[in-house]
């Protein structure tokens, strides 16, 4: 007789499986929420870091260029006459460039006038022009090589009758696009028997900084740009994305005799003290410092954020605060401020 044993079978009931699935889904949902939160936080940190980096870099570009404004090697432009009118920053003719040599900086408050070589300028932002020679002479280590058609500046160090001992200031320097015309000499000249060593020459730069509405056409990203003088005119170069506003106050040395120290700051030397004509140009010539204010914003929106802040960007012509905002949009912003000394103009004005 065969005896059959009963085998006990065990397993999950439907209810138990449903409970297990529900718990699993809750854990997955929690992990997904945690991942999304961390991802948002990481993206926001990246936005903030990019904004800080862009703001600081833009400020460094501007302040470094301003510190070197008016550098013309060994030549002292105080010997040149002040232009009767404000020079055209977009001019490329050598005669006009020479007339503009004494004016190291000039600006346009809130873009009231836009130079013809600029485009897509953001309304209500400042434009600043910086003129100087490169601090690096052609042929020096790590310096740019000679570029055909670009203007170069050469200062004489030779006290010959045809150079520094001449009665004409025009013989003290050369500004030319043809390197064959850069024929001035250094101090070792002993005229007329030995001509001496050729004086070094430097690329002459005109930089026009402005805020554009777009980095690339139609992208809506405000960008700090610069128009640069080259062999064929001016080329606009994008520098830093997310720079939304630029405001500058210029420190003018109004003392007689000059001290090299700003007696007053104004965002518009063209209208300071109700000036006209050459007097206004003289204020630009005697600008020895600048207060630079930048407003940087994120290049992308932050979900759920609304910018209700007001930002102070220095002072207006009437002395009231130059405030912008609130923008009430989803972009986060930060304001930057720096005061810089224009070493060359300030140094020449110092007794």
């Amino acid at each position: 007789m065969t005896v059959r044993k009963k085998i006990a079978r065990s397993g999950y009931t439907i209810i138990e499986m449903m409970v297990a699935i529900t718990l699993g889904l809750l854990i997955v949902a929690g992990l997904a929420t945690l991942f999304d939160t961390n991802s948002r936080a990481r993206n926001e940190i990246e936005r903030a870091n990019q904004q800080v980096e862009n703001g600081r870099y833009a400020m460094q570009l501007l302040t470094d260029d301003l510190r070197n404004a008016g550098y013309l090697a060994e030549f002292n432009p105080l010997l040149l006459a002040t232009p009767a009118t404000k020079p055209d920053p977009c001019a490329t003719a050598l005669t006009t460039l020479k007339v503009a040599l004494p004016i190291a900086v000039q600006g346009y408050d809130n873009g009231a006038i836009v130079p013809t070589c600029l485009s897509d300028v953001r309304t209500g932002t400042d434009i600043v022009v910086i003129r100087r020679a490169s601090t690096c002479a052609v042929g020096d280590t790590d310096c740019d090589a000679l570029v055909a058609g670009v203007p170069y500046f050469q200062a004489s160090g030779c006290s010959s009758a045809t150079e520094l001992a001449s009665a004409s200031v025009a013989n003290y320097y050369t500004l030319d696009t043809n390197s064959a015309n850069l024929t001035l000499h250094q101090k070792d000249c002993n005229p007329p028997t030995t001509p001496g060593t050729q004086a070094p020459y430097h690329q002459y730069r005109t930089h026009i900084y402005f805020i554009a509405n777009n980095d690339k056409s139609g992208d809506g990203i405000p960008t700090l740009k610069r128009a640069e003088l080259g062999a064929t005119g001016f080329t606009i170069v994008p520098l830093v994305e997310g720079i939304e506003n630029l405001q500058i106050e210029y420190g003018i040395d109004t003392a007689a005799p000059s001290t090299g120290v700003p007696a007053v700051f104004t965002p518009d030397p063209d209208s300071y003290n109700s000036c006209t004509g050459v007097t206004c140009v003289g204020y630009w010539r005697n600008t020895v410092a600048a207060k630079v204010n930048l407003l940087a914003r994120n290049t992308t929106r932050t979900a759920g954020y609304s910018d209700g802040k007001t930002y102070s960007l220095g002072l207006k012509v009437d002395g009231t605060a130059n405030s912008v905002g609130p923008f009430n949009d989803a972009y986060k912003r930060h304001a930057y401020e720096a005061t810089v000394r224009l070493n060359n103009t300030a140094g020449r004005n110092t007794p």
Side-chain angles (χ1 to χ4, degrees):
M1 180 177 178
T2 302
V3 179
R4 295 181 178 179
K5 296 182 179 178
K6 291 183 178 181
I7 301 174
R9 300 182 180 274
S10 61
Y12 296 105
T13 65
I14 293 178
I15 294 176
E16 289 174 329
M17 290 183 65
M18 291 180 64
V19 170
I21 292 171
T22 301
L23 291 175
L25 290 174
L26 289 174
I27 293 172
V28 170
L31 290 173
T33 301
L34 179 62
F35 176 80
D36 181 65
T37 301
N38 288 340
S39 179
R40 288 174 180 268
R42 185 182 67 253
N43 290 339
E44 201 58 38
I45 290 172
E46 289 178 355
R47 289 192 189 97
N49 288 340
Q50 182 183 35
Q51 182 200 86
V52 170
E53 182 179 350
N54 287 354
R56 290 178 175 174
Y57 180 55
M59 184 64 77
Q60 181 180 347
L61 284 174
L62 279 164
T63 55
D64 284 353
D65 217 357
L66 283 166
R67 286 189 182 95
N68 289 317
Y71 172 74
L72 295 173
E74 291 79 16
F75 178 68
N76 186 351
L78 288 179
L79 300 171
L80 300 174
T82 300
T85 58
K86 195 174 179 181
D88 178 3
C90 296
T92 59
L94 289 173
T95 53
T96 308
L97 293 177
K98 290 178 180 179
V99 169
L101 282 175
I103 313 302
V105 297
Q106 68 185 64
Y108 299 90
D109 188 36
N110 290 324
I113 298 175
V114 177
T116 56
C117 54
L118 305 186
S119 61
D120 195 32
V121 177
R122 194 170 184 85
T123 302
T125 61
D126 284 1
I127 300 167
V128 60
V129 183
I130 298 175
R131 299 183 178 92
R132 65 178 179 88
S134 170
T135 56
C136 204
V138 173
D140 288 352
T141 303
D142 297 328
C143 289
D144 293 336
L146 183 72
V147 180
V150 169
Y152 284 87
F153 185 89
Q154 184 184 47
S156 173
C158 174
S159 58
S160 71
T162 57
E163 295 187 28
L164 292 182
S166 166
S168 175
V169 176
N171 295 326
Y172 299 177
Y173 72 93
T174 299
L175 179 64
D176 210 296
T177 55
N178 185 354
S179 60
N181 295 329
L182 303 173
T183 58
L184 299 179
H185 302 92
Q186 296 191 36
K187 293 180 180 180
D188 62 356
C189 67
N190 184 24
T193 57
T194 55
T197 308
Q198 183 184 32
Y201 45 93
H202 309 249
Q203 184 175 340
Y204 183 72
R205 306 185 186 277
T206 300
H207 290 161
I208 310 174
Y209 291 89
F210 68 101
I211 305 299
N213 292 303
N214 303 278
D215 178 26
K216 299 177 181 178
S217 181
D219 64 9
I221 301 175
T223 301
L224 176 66
K225 293 187 177 183
R226 181 172 70 195
E228 302 176 350
L229 176 63
T232 59
F234 281 88
T235 301
I236 294 178
V237 179
L239 299 176
V240 190
E241 290 182 340
I243 306 303
E244 191 172 42
N245 205 327
L246 167 64
Q247 298 292 328
I248 300 180
E249 297 172 58
Y250 301 91
I252 306 172
D253 178 5
T254 59
S258 300
T259 62
V261 178
V264 63
F265 278 88
T266 175
D268 188 19
D270 282 327
S271 63
Y272 174 69
N273 206 23
S274 301
C275 68
T276 58
V278 70
T279 303
C280 298
V281 183
Y283 289 145
W284 286 112
R285 183 170 188 170
N286 286 321
T287 295
V288 296
K291 291 180 180 179
V292 182
N293 288 272
L294 290 174
L295 183 65
R297 78 164 209 200
N298 287 353
T299 56
T300 56
R301 296 179 176 88
T302 297
Y305 176 79
S306 179
D307 186 5
K309 300 177 183 178
T310 300
Y311 302 88
S312 179
L313 302 177
L315 300 176
K316 297 180 180 179
V317 172
D318 60 7
T320 60
N322 190 355
S323 299
V324 295
F327 296 92
N328 297 319
D329 57 18
Y331 293 103
K332 290 188 176 181
R333 294 172 172 83
H334 189 76
Y336 299 82
E337 178 184 356
T339 300
V340 57
R341 182 176 187 262
L342 277 60
N343 293 322
N344 294 287
T345 54
R348 296 185 192 111
N349 281 21
T350 301

